[in-house]
Amino acid sequence: VDSEDTQYTDILLACTRHLLEDLKDSANPKPLLNWLESRWQELKDLALTELAFDGLSVEAKISQYGKLTANLRAVPTLRQQIRQKINPHTVTLLKALNQFITEAKQNLPAGCTKLAVIADNLDRIVPVIQESNQTNHEEIFLDRSEQLTGLKCHIIYTVPISMLYSKRANDLREIYGDAQVLPMIMVRTKEGNLYQPGFNKVKEVISKRVGQFAPTRSLETDIFESPEALERLCLMSGGHVRNLLLLIQTAIARTETLPISLRAVQRSITDARDTYRRTVQDGQWSVLADVYRSKQIHNNDQYRQLLFNRCLLEYQYFDDEGERQCWYDVHPLIKGIREFKDAYAQLDSQQ
C-alpha cells in the first residue's frame, strides 16, 4: 500500500491479490474470479487493458486482477476511481474471498495446519485528519474493523504506534485484543551504557543478512574495515532494524570494494541525520530534549507524532519481578544535531 494515501479498500484488494496468487493451486479461485468478471466492464479501463475477461485462462484472469491492484498503488490518478468502483462491493468481495479461503484451508501443503495473513507496513500510513475530524487511522482500523476482522483465517495487522497512545487505544484493544508492541532492540541501557546482549543481536541481524551473500567472510574485518565501524553503525541505528538496514544500504552505496570503511559508515550516518533534522519541527526540539532527560513521554499529539516519525524510540524490559517496563529515548541520530544540543543545553541550564 501507499503510506501517503491508503484506505481500507486498498488493504482488502492487496490481501485478495496475495491470497489469490499464493493459494490458486490450493482452492478453486472461481468465487473471486466470478466477482471480478461481474464488474469487469466498469473496471477494465482502470486495469489499463482491452482484454475480454470471459475469454481468458484462469492464470490470465488472475494476472488481470493483479494489474488492477498494481494500478491502485502505482497510478495515483486512477486510485480514487478504482476505490469508487470497488467500495460499494467490498462486502461481496469479502464473501467471495472467504469462500476461497475456506476451501484453501482444507488443502494446505503437507505439514501446514492453519492459514495466516500478515498485512505489513500499515504502521507507515501517514495520519491525515479527515472532514469528519477523525484520522484516516481511525477510519481504517476502527470504522472498518468489522471487515478487517472478517477474514476467515488468522491475520496480523501492523498498526501505527501513535494509535496505541491515542484516545482510541481501548477501542482498538476491544476489537483486536492486546496489541503486541515490537520495541527497539536495546543497544544501550536507560543510563546510556552499552547493552551487550542487545548489541550482539543487532550484529546478528547484520551477520544473517550478509551471510546470504558472503557466508565465509568476517563481519568485523572483511565486511567492515574495523570493529569500530561496525559498532558505530549498530549504535546509531538505535536498535531500529529498518534504520539499521538503511544505514548499511547507504554505506554500501558509498563503497566500491569491501570492506566498508569507517568513512563510508560516517557518511551514511550523516545523510540519515540530515533527514531527521528536516523531520523535526521547530517546536519539537525541546520536547525531544525533555524525553532525553526523563526517558518518559506525555500522551499527547506532539509525542505521538514523534513516535510515529521514529524520532522517539520505545524500549522495553522485564524487571526482577517480571513486570514489563517501558522507557523512551531520542533516536541516536538526533543527538548529534545542533538544534537538539542547543535545546538540551537550555533545558539543562534551567535545572
Side-chain angles (χ1 to χ4, degrees):
V1 295
D2 184 345
S3 62
E4 298 291 333
D5 179 17
T6 296
Q7 294 184 14
Y8 160 74
T9 306
D10 312 1
I11 299 169
L12 177 61
L13 288 174
C15 288
T16 302
R17 176 173 65 85
H18 284 292
L19 284 166
L20 190 56
E21 291 174 350
D22 294 343
L23 299 175
K24 63 181 184 296
D25 296 327
S26 299
N28 186 348
K30 187 176 180 180
L32 286 169
L33 297 181
N34 285 346
W35 180 91
L36 183 58
E37 185 171 4
S38 66
R39 289 159 189 86
W40 188 244
Q41 285 305 311
E42 55 183 325
L43 290 174
K44 69 176 183 179
D45 290 341
L46 301 178
L48 302 181
T49 181
E50 295 297 327
L51 292 175
F53 197 81
D54 55 0
L56 300 177
S57 65
V58 169
E59 289 75 14
K61 289 178 179 179
I62 293 174
S63 175
Q64 293 307 306
Y65 185 88
K67 287 182 181 179
L68 181 68
T69 56
N71 288 342
L72 184 69
R73 177 171 181 172
V75 188
T77 54
L78 295 178
R79 191 173 295 154
Q80 195 55 36
Q81 296 179 58
I82 294 173
R83 289 168 180 161
Q84 288 173 352
K85 298 288 187 183
I86 299 293
N87 262 331
H89 307 290
T90 53
V91 173
T92 55
L93 174 56
L94 187 61
K95 182 178 179 180
L97 180 56
N98 277 332
Q99 285 181 259
F100 178 70
I101 288 172
T102 299
E103 183 177 343
K105 287 195 295 186
Q106 298 171 359
N107 299 289
L108 294 174
C112 299
T113 59
K114 295 180 180 180
L115 178 64
V117 173
I118 301 176
D120 200 4
N121 292 333
L122 304 185
D123 55 309
R124 301 189 197 182
I125 298 174
V126 175
V128 177
I129 302 296
Q130 301 180 323
E131 291 181 3
S132 60
N133 207 32
Q134 68 173 4
T135 67
N136 55 331
H137 292 169
E138 292 171 302
E139 192 275 332
I140 293 169
F141 294 102
L142 297 175
D143 294 353
R144 291 287 200 156
S145 61
E146 186 174 349
Q147 290 97 323
L148 285 179
T149 58
L151 288 180
K152 292 186 176 180
C153 63
H154 297 285
I155 186 158
I156 298 171
Y157 294 107
T158 55
V159 62
I161 192 169
S162 50
M163 275 209 79
L164 302 182
Y165 289 87
S166 73
K167 62 185 179 182
R168 305 300 300 275
N170 273 335
D171 297 328
L172 207 63
R173 182 175 182 270
E174 287 179 6
I175 294 167
Y176 299 98
D178 289 323
Q180 302 298 311
V181 177
L182 186 63
M184 304 303 106
I185 300 172
M186 193 165 68
V187 291
R188 289 193 184 277
T189 65
K190 195 174 180 179
E191 294 72 31
N193 301 317
L194 178 69
Y195 183 63
Q196 198 66 49
F199 178 73
N200 291 342
K201 279 295 177 185
V202 171
K203 286 204 300 184
E204 186 180 327
V205 170
I206 301 175
S207 182
K208 287 186 175 181
R209 280 298 179 107
V210 170
Q212 298 175 28
F213 310 101
T216 61
R217 297 232 181 170
S218 166
L219 201 60
E220 296 185 346
T221 56
D222 297 330
I223 305 301
F224 292 88
E225 71 172 8
S226 66
E228 181 187 357
L230 175 61
E231 178 177 324
R232 184 173 300 185
L233 189 141
C234 291
L235 293 178
M236 281 298 169
S237 74
H240 189 292
V241 174
R242 193 180 297 157
N243 276 185
L244 174 71
L245 298 179
L246 285 172
L247 286 170
I248 295 172
Q249 188 177 40
T250 305
I252 290 174
R254 296 187 175 280
T255 301
E256 292 186 4
T257 58
L258 292 175
I260 299 170
S261 67
L262 181 60
R263 182 180 178 84
V265 167
Q266 189 56 48
R267 285 295 301 275
S268 174
I269 290 168
T270 299
D271 289 348
R273 179 177 285 141
D274 194 50
T275 299
Y276 273 91
R277 181 184 60 78
R278 295 193 302 270
T279 299
V280 179
Q281 305 301 301
D282 284 344
Q284 294 177 325
W285 295 109
S286 59
V287 175
L288 292 169
D290 180 63
V291 174
Y292 181 54
R293 184 186 64 182
S294 68
K295 304 301 188 239
Q296 296 298 320
I297 64 170
H298 299 291
N299 196 3
N300 61 39
D301 287 339
Q302 263 196 319
Y303 290 83
R304 282 192 288 271
Q305 184 64 39
L306 290 168
L307 279 170
F308 179 80
N309 290 339
R310 296 174 296 283
C311 295
L312 291 177
L313 303 178
E314 178 178 340
Y315 298 91
Q316 296 182 5
Y317 67 94
F318 289 92
D319 62 21
D320 294 338
E321 297 179 356
E323 291 290 330
R324 179 186 284 109
Q325 302 294 334
C326 297
W327 61 281
Y328 305 84
D329 206 354
V330 173
H331 196 295
L333 290 168
I334 290 176
K335 296 174 186 177
I337 298 174
R338 178 183 57 79
E339 289 89 341
F340 172 77
K341 291 179 179 179
D342 291 346
Y344 186 72
Q346 183 177 358
L347 183 67
D348 203 36
S349 68
Q350 296 171 358
Q351 301 306 306

